[in-house]
Structures are given as structure tokens and as C-alpha cells.
Amino acid sequence: MDPLKTIGRSAPADDVMHLKPPVDPATLAYRQLLDGSFWQRIPAYRGVDEVTFLDHSWQARNSITNPQKLLAAVQDLVPQSFYDDVIEGFARAPMSIRVSPYLLSLIDWTDPYSDPLRRQFVPVASRLLPDHPKLTLDSLHEQADAPVPGLTHRYPDKALFLALDTCPVYCRFCTRSYAVGVDTDEVEKVSLKATEDRWAKAFRYIGERPELEDIVVSGGDSYQLKARQVSLIGDTLLDIDHIRRIRFATKGPAVMPMKLLTDDEWVDALTRVVEKGRRLHKEVVLHTHFNHPNEITAITRRGLDRLHERGIIVRNQAVMQRGVNDTVPVMQQLVKRLGFCNVQPYYVYVHDLVKGVEDLRTTVQTAIDVEKAVRGTTAGFQTPTFVCDAPGGGGKRVVHSFEHYDRVTGVSVWAAPSVKPGYFLYFDPVDTLAPEIQARWADVAEQDKMVEAAIAAARDHAAATAHASSIRR
Ligand SMILES: *Cc1c(COP(=O)(O)O)cnc(C)c1O
Ligand code: SF4
């Protein structure tokens, strides 16, 4: 019999050869998205109906910006001791704090210390760790690589345009804590006010650099742009002949997905820019920032479906964080859930060296291990690239591609031959190292020795392997 003839016919079940054992339903849990009036678990939102909760301006108006508002929302769900811890945590935070009611509703307040969303957005003093001695503000050198304020041109063909300095939420771990959010006692922010005068300078620079093809519009956060501003930025950039790609970066879908459902003006403005881009054979996409599968609910899916229906490509850039997504099951579930919602997992970053979040950073080794386990679980194009953006302006490097990595001292050495000469260093969190090494990090002279030893080892390695490479430095 011609086997092709049976294709398309429904064969009796017992005719089908199952070479694999039945799937464990637990592995499909990423398809079960939280639905219903989950926010009504929060005392302050008990009487909030769906229409109100889905209103993005209600979300913005009711965001939690201080411990008193937090207490007013969660009330007796948390013990006083936790609340005291939060008061102290807010006082010591280098970033301003802003948490949407949506996020607040997704936190398990019966176990706030281990909840992955609490860890990202609500600082508690008892879990803070001292910063790494090698940490500096603006660890990524964005200001040093900025030809005009708020425009970072580091890579040959792409630039990062920080359009504004506010976000729909503020993340404890923000890399741009040098610029984003209102001033706190800890950090006097460099002003990146959304002035169209500053934008004009940035647009002029972009127009004068024919090598630029790709602009990341970030901040701050594109969610905070008025619809009119989305159009202005999109139209202006698309009208520059050599610009081929624009990415609007926003954490919005992860922290306030209802805006995609209820802010028609903003979604329409974005859609028009995407469509204009398509007519000009240029690409306009949205880049977002989900870190944990719990951030993706049925509301998120509906919002993302709306973008998908309009042909808007969405990609995700996650940050690996301790106690949030630094395990294989969580990262696998995040990747699968994103794919399920038509979001392409693009990057997973090793956490940048940022002030006040040492408790969230992981080692490079953790990223290497999780990457190995995630690769192979889904389509290659849905598999994120795990990168380390080492301080000093070398840019993102694949975690497996270090020049040298001393797991004992936690020093990794990176090179970026097409970006910037020299070596770039990343440092694993000190508290993850052996006690005798922690003692060495407490001593300035020892710090330098550990760094020099790692660089020397990187040089030796480069010399020893040069014969095997056709690339000559
Ligand atoms: C991340 C980044 C980009 C975009 O890099 P991709 O690897 O293409 O996503 C551009 N400019 C700067 C300064 C960046 O940090
Ligand atoms: S949304 Fe992005 S830019 Fe804004 S605070 Fe969070 S990480 Fe920083």
C-alpha cells in the first residue's frame, strides 16, 4: 500500500504508533495562564471590577510608590515585620519605586520573601547585600558612548535612543538607574527630560551618520510616550533614508498589559508606524522585558494577541536574576510561555553590575548552565541568546564566549573585537564565592591581584590558541 495515501485520513487510534511515552502534563503548564479576577485577592482591590482593573490610566494612577501605599493595598496579608523591612528597603533603594496594581496582584503575599515578582520590584532591607567593590554607576558606559545626550552610539550600525526618563514601573535592578526615575537620596539623576529639542539633536546626529541602520527607542520606556510622540519618533526615523530598523523598547506588556487592550490611541500610533515601515520595506518591532512566567496572564495574552493581529513582532529581553529565573524549570517555562504568546525570546542577560541589587545577580556559570538546559527544548528561533554585557562598553557577549573565567574569584574576561579594543571584566557576586575569596575581595590590593591574574590568564589563553584560529589580532 502507498503510505502517502493514508495521510489525511483519520486512522483508528490503535493504528497510530507512539514511539514516545505520553507527555507529562506538567510540562505543558506554561499554557495555563492566570485568568479571572485574581486582583481581588488584594484587600484594596476587592471591590475593583474588570473594567476598572483593565483601565491603564487607573493602573498608572494607583501605582505603589511608597511603603504607606503598599500597606494600604495589601493590609493584613503581610506581617508588620515584613512591612518594617520594606520601609527600610525603600529608604535604602537607589531607584525610585513604582509598582502597578497588576504586578502587586501577581505577588504571593503569603510568601513575599521568595516571590519572584516581589524580589524584582519591592526592596526589603534584610535581603540586601553590599555592592561589588568594582561596581560603578552607568556600568555599561552609555554616557561615555553618547555623542548627544540620551543617544548611545557604540555599535557600528545601531544606536540606542533614550527618548525619556520615566517608566510605567520602576525596577529595582534598572541598568539605567543613572538616568531613569525621579531623584532619590542616593542618586542624582542625569536629566533626560523628554524635550523635543534634545530629540531634534539626536535625529540630526542619526541623519548625519549613514552607517546607522537600526535605532532602539528606549529610556525610560516607550509606554510612557504619548501616542503623538510615538508617531513623531517613528515617522522621523523612518523618513531617514538609511534607517532600516526601529525597535520600540518597553517593559509595558510585562507590567501593564491592559494598556494594549485599552489605550487605543497608543496602540494605533504604534500600528501606524509599523505599517508605514512595512510600506517602506523597513522593520518596526516592539521589544519587551518579561522575566518570569508569572508576569504572563490571560490579560497579557489578549494584549499580545492584539499586537499579533496587527502584524507587530514582539521580542523579549529578560534579565537573569537570583531567586527569580535562575533555574532551569523557570527559564524553560518562561521561554515556552513567551513562544505560546507569539513573543520571540531574544536575549537573557547576565545581570548588569548595578547599585543596590547584589542579591539579584547570579554568577556567569549559572547563565551558562541554564542556557545549556534551555537550548533544545523548543525551536532554535525561540531560544534566547544568553549574554553578558560586561562593563566598559564592549557590549553584549554570548556567555560561553569569555576569554577567561576564574570561577574561584568570580572574574570573567571578555573581548569585543568589532566593538572596542581591550578586555572587559565582569564580576560574579562576592557572596557566592568561598569565604577566603570573599576576604580577598575586602582587600583593595588583593582585588587588583585577582583582576590582573584573570587578564594575564586571558592573554595566555589567546596566545596558546592563536595557532588554531585563522583570525589574527
Ligand atoms: C543592546 C544595545 C543595542 C542593541 O543591541 P542588539 O544586540 O542588536 O540588540 C544598541 N546599542 C546599545 C548601546 C545597546 O546596549
Ligand atoms: S522598565 Fe526598564 S528602564 Fe524602566 S526601570 Fe525597569 S528596567 Fe529600568
Side-chain angles (χ1 to χ4, degrees):
M1 193 181 78
D2 181 354
L4 289 177
K5 286 213 170 117
T6 63
I7 290 178
R9 271 187 222 154
S10 54
D14 54 2
D15 271 11
V16 181
M17 283 265 285
H18 286 286
L19 297 176
K20 279 177 176 292
V23 67
D24 172 1
T27 64
L28 303 179
Y30 65 87
R31 296 178 189 163
Q32 258 85 62
L33 303 180
L34 184 63
D35 205 353
S37 310
F38 55 83
W39 57 89
Q40 292 178 353
R41 296 182 297 204
I42 303 297
Y45 309 149
R46 250 170 222 148
V48 173
D49 61 17
E50 184 169 14
V51 173
T52 307
F53 194 75
L54 291 190
D55 177 357
H56 65 99
S57 40
W58 183 87
Q59 290 282 333
R61 271 200 316 279
N62 288 281
S63 286
I64 305 295
T65 50
N66 60 46
Q68 292 70 35
K69 287 187 186 172
L70 180 71
L71 182 68
V74 299
Q75 298 172 19
D76 53 2
L77 293 185
V78 294
Q80 183 64 35
S81 59
F82 177 80
Y83 180 62
D84 292 341
D85 212 355
V86 169
I87 293 177
E88 182 62 24
F90 270 65
R92 284 163 58 183
M95 272 296 281
S96 25
I97 309 287
R98 184 188 284 173
V99 185
S100 60
Y102 171 78
L103 276 184
L104 193 86
S105 309
L106 295 175
I107 293 173
D108 177 3
W109 292 103
T110 64
D111 188 13
Y113 280 107
S114 38
D115 186 272
L117 274 63
R118 197 287 303 159
R119 292 175 71 96
Q120 293 180 70
F121 298 100
V122 183
V124 290
S126 65
R127 301 298 154 99
L128 296 178
L129 293 170
D131 288 329
H132 196 283
K134 292 288 176 192
L135 181 144
T136 55
L137 270 184
D138 185 20
S139 72
L140 299 184
H141 243 239
E142 289 184 347
Q143 293 176 91
D145 287 336
V148 296
L151 186 78
T152 300
H153 184 190
R154 170 181 308 151
Y155 301 96
D157 72 345
K158 59 197 175 191
L160 173 67
F161 175 38
L162 304 181
L164 74 180
D165 62 2
T166 60
C167 300
V169 294
Y170 290 125
C171 316
R172 288 183 55 207
F173 52 91
C174 183
T175 294
R176 309 225 168 88
S177 52
Y178 68 84
V180 167
V182 295
D183 292 356
T184 66
D185 294 344
E186 290 287 312
V187 180
E188 253 186 59
K189 304 291 152 88
V190 179
S191 178
L192 286 180
K193 288 276 173 288
T195 60
E196 293 182 7
D197 174 49
R198 181 174 67 77
W199 291 5
K201 286 201 184 85
F203 297 147
R204 191 167 353 117
Y205 176 87
I206 294 167
E208 288 167 357
R209 301 298 301 218
E211 73 272 37
L212 279 178
E213 297 189 340
D214 182 349
I215 306 296
V216 182
V217 180
S218 184
D221 192 294
S222 299
Y223 242 45
Q224 301 298 104
L225 293 167
K226 306 264 179 290
R228 177 181 66 73
Q229 296 176 311
V230 171
S231 308
L232 172 74
I233 294 174
D235 288 343
T236 309
L237 292 176
L238 285 173
D239 287 343
I240 299 173
D241 208 38
H242 52 263
I243 294 303
R244 307 285 310 151
R245 292 174 291 280
I246 302 173
R247 326 173 203 177
F248 283 96
T250 171
K251 195 161 173 66
V255 297
M256 216 181 273
M258 48 283 294
K259 184 179 170 96
L260 302 175
L261 295 169
T262 57
D263 190 347
D264 291 339
E265 237 195 311
W266 190 90
V267 179
D268 288 347
L270 178 68
T271 307
R272 275 195 302 273
V273 177
V274 171
E275 285 170 352
K276 173 172 171 168
R278 197 175 294 130
R279 279 196 306 278
L280 294 169
H281 308 132
K282 299 182 177 191
E283 184 189 79
V284 181
V285 303
L286 200 68
H287 275 208
T288 190
H289 179 183
F290 291 96
N291 284 335
H292 192 278
N294 289 3
E295 292 156 14
I296 307 172
T297 64
I299 300 173
T300 324
R301 186 168 184 210
R302 282 162 56 204
L304 292 169
D305 282 350
R306 193 157 185 237
L307 299 180
H308 191 70
E309 284 160 13
R310 293 165 176 232
I312 302 175
I313 292 170
V314 183
R315 304 196 189 106
N316 190 65
Q317 306 189 179
V319 180
M320 179 169 277
Q321 295 176 328
R322 222 194 292 186
V324 176
N325 57 10
D326 61 339
T327 64
V328 171
V330 173
M331 191 59 82
Q332 281 178 344
Q333 195 181 42
L334 175 65
V335 165
K336 292 288 286 180
R337 189 166 277 182
L338 288 167
F340 186 62
C341 297
N342 297 308
V343 177
Q344 303 169 359
Y346 175 36
Y347 279 140
V348 175
Y349 293 86
V350 173
H351 203 306
D352 291 332
L353 282 150
V354 179
K355 213 169 182 289
V357 292
E358 200 65 358
D359 57 310
L360 284 177
R361 291 202 306 124
T362 68
T363 63
V364 169
Q365 188 61 46
T366 307
I368 291 171
D369 293 342
V370 173
E371 195 279 345
K372 262 184 202 169
V374 167
R375 188 162 295 278
T377 56
T378 189
F381 57 80
Q382 295 283 18
T383 304
T385 305
F386 286 62
V387 294
C388 179
D389 202 343
K396 306 160 190 72
R397 311 307 303 178
V398 172
V399 289
H400 300 283
S401 72
F402 51 79
E403 304 298 304
H404 177 72
Y405 180 18
D406 185 334
R407 278 113 173 136
V408 175
T409 61
V411 182
S412 49
V413 184
W414 309 79
S418 298
V419 183
K420 204 171 169 180
Y423 285 127
F424 305 92
L425 302 169
Y426 184 82
F427 304 95
D428 289 346
V430 171
D431 72 293
T432 63
L433 307 172
E436 64 276 17
I437 305 297
Q438 296 192 24
R440 291 185 71 191
W441 280 112
D443 176 337
V444 176
E446 286 297 309
Q447 291 170 12
D448 290 345
K449 278 191 209 155
M450 290 186 280
V451 168
E452 281 156 23
I455 293 174
R459 288 216 172 88
D460 289 351
H461 176 76
T465 55
H467 70 280
S469 172
S470 59
I471 295 178
R472 297 281 172 264
R473 293 190 188 221

